[in-house]
Amino acid sequence: MEIKVIKNILEANEAIAEQNRKLKEEKRLLMVNIIGSPGAGKTSLILKTVEKLGVMCGVIEGDIASDIDARRLAEGGVAAVQINTGGACHLDANMVHTALKEIDFSSGVLFVENVGNLVCPAEFEIGEDFKVAVVSVAEGDDKPYKYPLVFSKAGAVVLSKVDLLPYIDFNRKFFYDGIRSLNPTVKVFEVSCKSGEGVEEWCAWLRERFRERSGFPSA
Amino acid sequence: MEIKVIKNILEANEAIAEQNRKLKEEKRLLMVNIIGSPGAGKTSLILKTVEKLGVMCGVIEGDIASDIDARRLAEGGVAAVQINTGGACHLDANMVHTALKEIDFSSGVLFVENVGNLVCPAEFEIGEDFKVAVVSVAEGDDKPYKYPLVFSKAGAVVLSKVDLLPYIDFNRKFFYDGIRSLNPTVKVFEVSCKSGEGVEEWCAWLRERFRERSGFPSA
């Protein structure tokens, strides 16, 4: 009974995700679903990326409560549509659908910052081009082993806050081995939004994905 | 329809939580539900606490996948019963019930390390005496505003990894204001399991809770 309900929920979600895919195609948006734990550095990554990417960007901001992140983005000059889930632990396609209709630019990159949660958001397609798993070094090197789904589904992984590495026990090999066992070819970017380390490599990769998607000629 | 299903799930959960309460009373256990994001430092806190508490301790270890934490605890000489939720984003009363029956000591403190998730575990009573919200300074000072439920329900808050404070922008006042607005009297402990800072204050408080609970005379 419970399983049937969950199956129905996921099927209904998929139908709306498909509408989102069409909507984003019409607007020529690359839609990137940013998933990570609370405090992984998702908002900082988006702010830094928007600043450096050189492509029109927008943000759909998902939070259980508060508009702290949307205000942070606005202060950084980034327009964001806020979704408050009212307790729900993830964004679903329907929530994103409503926000997507409010997006008033085309031909650019649309970041969807999911609710801070390394578990549930990975289960719900929202019509994105790909998911990015953001995990900070402070969370530890064992995250791929303990939260495999998001790493197995990710189109890219950002290891954030690498400026903290000197103060933390973090075994890079163990971390990468965990990711490789789930997702052998996924790109992993080591980034510090504080020092700027790794930001350009990440942005270059994302720019390339945008160009592929939108059919623009490569620079 | 969906709301009705959720209501039924929570009611069924509450009935089993009540059985857990009875079971733990019989065993004279103080049952502490440890909730926090992935990488908040839950396992480290439990290891350090078991070492310093001076009271018989056990652990029920909840993970989506892997037994990394249970092995870490075993290496630290702590017996743990592992629950793998197989994808589920929280422990519920039924999962804990099965594990609780395997606990073979009485008159002590039983830590239940929930799945790394600051959202969903807060919704499910498992029959615990109280919840402890663990949040690391690396996650940022805005967590109470963005994830209010767990902070409003917590019997104590542990701000972990305070040894990283010199390398992070963390506004203590903003953090405490957020907690106070949700839970005016809750105790907050600033702890570093690396340096040992704050561990004794936290353990002293927990020892007192155990004594109240078990009716032992205070030392």
Side-chain angles (χ1 to χ4, degrees):
Chain A
M1 170 60 179
E2 193 188 336
I3 289 165
K4 186 154 173 263
V5 171
I6 289 167
K7 185 161 174 277
N8 289 348
I9 289 171
L10 287 176
E11 276 173 8
N13 186 73
E14 179 50 36
I16 304 173
E18 187 52 36
Q19 293 177 31
N20 291 353
R21 281 179 207 113
K22 284 190 186 128
L23 207 51
K24 113 189 132 55
E25 293 297 329
E26 285 166 24
K27 296 185 189 238
R28 300 183 79 191
L29 298 174
L30 181 79
M31 189 161 134
V32 183
N33 185 359
I34 307 277
I35 299 179
S37 305
K42 298 180 292 302
T43 311
S44 297
L45 180 70
I46 292 171
L47 270 169
K48 203 74 181 176
T49 307
V50 171
E51 183 191 325
K52 301 287 184 189
L53 196 63
V55 172
M56 174 72 81
C57 293
V59 182
I60 294 176
E61 181 56 48
D63 282 296
I64 290 174
S66 95
D67 62 352
I68 289 178
D69 287 346
R71 279 190 282 126
R72 245 185 96 191
L73 291 162
E75 282 162 20
V78 184
V81 177
Q82 176 81 50
I83 301 174
N84 276 147
T85 67
C89 54
H90 60 272
L91 293 177
D92 63 26
N94 193 41
M95 298 177 203
V96 172
H97 189 69
T98 307
L100 192 55
K101 286 194 282 190
E102 287 183 44
I103 296 295
D104 59 0
F105 71 99
S106 60
S107 196
V109 178
L110 178 63
F111 297 97
V112 181
E113 182 176 349
N114 221 306
V115 174
N117 183 334
L118 203 54
V119 185
C120 316
E123 293 179 34
F124 288 80
E125 298 295 314
I126 56 172
E128 70 271 51
D129 286 275
F130 52 84
K131 296 169 176 58
V132 176
V134 182
V135 56
S136 91
V137 296
E139 292 175 61
D141 48 31
D142 58 2
K143 292 299 144 306
Y145 302 89
K146 292 162 78 175
Y147 306 91
L149 187 66
V150 67
F151 291 97
S152 67
K153 286 191 170 182
V157 175
V158 172
L159 179 63
S160 63
K161 308 195 189 187
V162 292
D163 55 286
L164 291 177
L165 277 173
Y167 317 111
I168 291 174
D169 301 318
F170 188 94
N171 184 330
R172 261 205 189 80
K173 182 177 184 317
F174 186 63
F175 179 74
Y176 277 91
D177 285 350
I179 291 179
R180 292 291 164 240
S181 71
L182 297 161
N183 196 337
T185 59
V186 71
K187 283 284 278 181
V188 183
F189 299 94
E190 301 194 5
V191 171
S192 166
C193 291
K194 204 163 190 175
S195 73
E197 184 186 337
V199 172
E200 183 42 38
E201 290 84 340
W202 152 248
C203 284
W205 181 85
L206 198 59
R207 237 173 257 133
E208 206 50 48
R209 300 290 80 71
F210 172 63
R211 284 179 188 135
E212 284 172 8
R213 197 81 188 109
S214 62
F216 286 176
S218 192
Chain B
M1 172 59 178
E2 194 189 335
I3 289 166
K4 186 154 170 263
V5 171
I6 289 167
K7 187 162 173 276
N8 288 348
I9 290 171
L10 287 177
E11 275 173 8
N13 186 73
E14 178 50 35
I16 303 172
E18 186 53 33
Q19 293 178 30
N20 291 353
R21 280 179 209 113
K22 285 192 186 126
L23 207 51
K24 111 188 134 53
E25 293 298 328
E26 285 166 25
K27 297 185 190 238
R28 300 183 80 191
L29 298 174
L30 182 79
M31 190 162 133
V32 183
N33 186 359
I34 307 278
I35 299 178
S37 306
K42 298 180 292 301
T43 311
S44 296
L45 180 70
I46 291 171
L47 270 170
K48 203 75 183 174
T49 307
V50 171
E51 183 191 325
K52 301 287 183 188
L53 196 64
V55 171
M56 175 71 81
C57 293
V59 182
I60 294 176
E61 182 56 49
D63 282 297
I64 290 175
S66 96
D67 62 352
I68 289 178
D69 286 346
R71 279 191 282 126
R72 245 184 96 193
L73 290 162
E75 282 161 20
V78 183
V81 178
Q82 176 81 50
I83 301 174
N84 276 147
T85 67
C89 55
H90 61 273
L91 292 178
D92 63 26
N94 192 42
M95 299 177 202
V96 173
H97 189 70
T98 307
L100 191 54
K101 285 194 282 190
E102 287 183 44
I103 296 295
D104 59 359
F105 71 100
S106 61
S107 197
V109 178
L110 178 64
F111 297 98
V112 182
E113 182 175 348
N114 221 307
V115 175
N117 183 333
L118 204 53
V119 185
C120 316
E123 293 179 35
F124 288 80
E125 298 295 314
I126 56 172
E128 71 271 52
D129 287 276
F130 51 84
K131 296 170 176 61
V132 176
V134 182
V135 55
S136 90
V137 297
E139 293 175 59
D141 48 31
D142 58 1
K143 292 299 144 308
Y145 302 90
K146 291 162 80 175
Y147 306 91
L149 187 66
V150 66
F151 292 96
S152 68
K153 285 192 169 180
V157 175
V158 172
L159 180 64
S160 63
K161 308 195 189 185
V162 293
D163 55 286
L164 293 177
L165 276 173
Y167 317 112
I168 291 175
D169 300 319
F170 188 94
N171 184 330
R172 260 205 191 81
K173 183 178 182 318
F174 186 62
F175 179 74
Y176 278 91
D177 285 351
I179 291 179
R180 292 291 163 240
S181 70
L182 298 161
N183 196 338
T185 59
V186 71
K187 283 285 279 181
V188 183
F189 299 94
E190 302 194 6
V191 171
S192 165
C193 291
K194 204 163 190 174
S195 74
E197 185 185 338
V199 172
E200 183 41 40
E201 291 84 339
W202 153 249
C203 285
W205 181 85
L206 197 59
R207 236 173 260 136
E208 207 49 49
R209 300 290 79 72
F210 172 64
R211 285 182 188 134
E212 284 173 7
R213 197 79 187 108
S214 62
F216 287 175
S218 192

